[in-house]
Amino acid sequence: MRRRTFDNFRFLQDLKDDRSKRANVREERLRTATGLSGAPALALSAWRGVSGKRYVVGVHAIEAVQPAELTDAVVIAVRRDEAGLATLVRASYDLIAESAAGWIASMIRADATEVHVHRLASTADERAAIVVDLSPAATPDISLLASERGLQSARA
């Protein structure tokens, strides 16, 4: 019987090379199961940014999402094809309720089918960093949101 040798260094180098090839922004579907009480599973997914960080999101049909649900969050417009693959259309953060309905309408015109909402970032700076991390595959709304935030603070 021939003994196989395992080159640990080569394996780790190949793994590192594979990770660098996959550095693009992508969705990583999460497995969720029905709760013990028989309740339906939560619609959850995750997005992996350029940095390699993973952001867990709640998934909503774009027609069903309410504008008030998009405040104080990172929101991602997603186009899902027939095969179930997701394409990030646009990532935004801190939409204000008055403009969220317009954002939803513009994402519908851009053929988005879902809105993914990430609520685990506690500050606007953290949310902005997430949008930048997810931006290479989409156009971030950082300049638009900065002007909206200025408008919001002027109203206060």
Side-chain angles (χ1 to χ4, degrees), residues 92-115:
S92 305
Y93 74 103
D94 289 350
L95 293 173
I96 57 175
E98 294 84 19
S99 66
W103 185 88
I104 293 169
S106 68
M107 294 302 102
I108 289 172
R109 285 190 301 274
D111 295 326
T113 56
E114 298 174 351
V115 174

Side-chain angles (χ1 to χ4, degrees), residues 74 93-94 123-133 135 142 149:
V74 174
Y93 74 103
D94 289 350
T123 67
D125 289 340
E126 289 175 8
R127 291 186 288 272
I130 292 169
V131 169
V132 169
D133 194 22
S135 295
I142 292 174
R149 216 177 296 129

Side-chain angles (χ1 to χ4, degrees), residues 41-111:
L42 294 172
L44 295 176
S45 190
W47 282 89
R48 181 88 48 188
V50 172
S51 68
K53 292 181 182 176
R54 187 173 79 160
Y55 308 103
V56 176
V57 295
V59 178
H60 307 275
I62 198 161
E63 300 85 18
V65 71
Q66 297 297 317
E69 295 175 22
L70 306 182
T71 60
D72 296 326
V74 174
V75 290
I76 305 166
V78 175
R79 180 183 314 117
R80 193 169 300 279
D81 65 13
E82 298 81 26
L85 296 175
T87 302
L88 194 149
V89 176
R90 176 164 291 162
S92 305
Y93 74 103
D94 289 350
L95 293 173
I96 57 175
E98 294 84 19
S99 66
W103 185 88
I104 293 169
S106 68
M107 294 302 102
I108 289 172
R109 285 190 301 274
D111 295 326

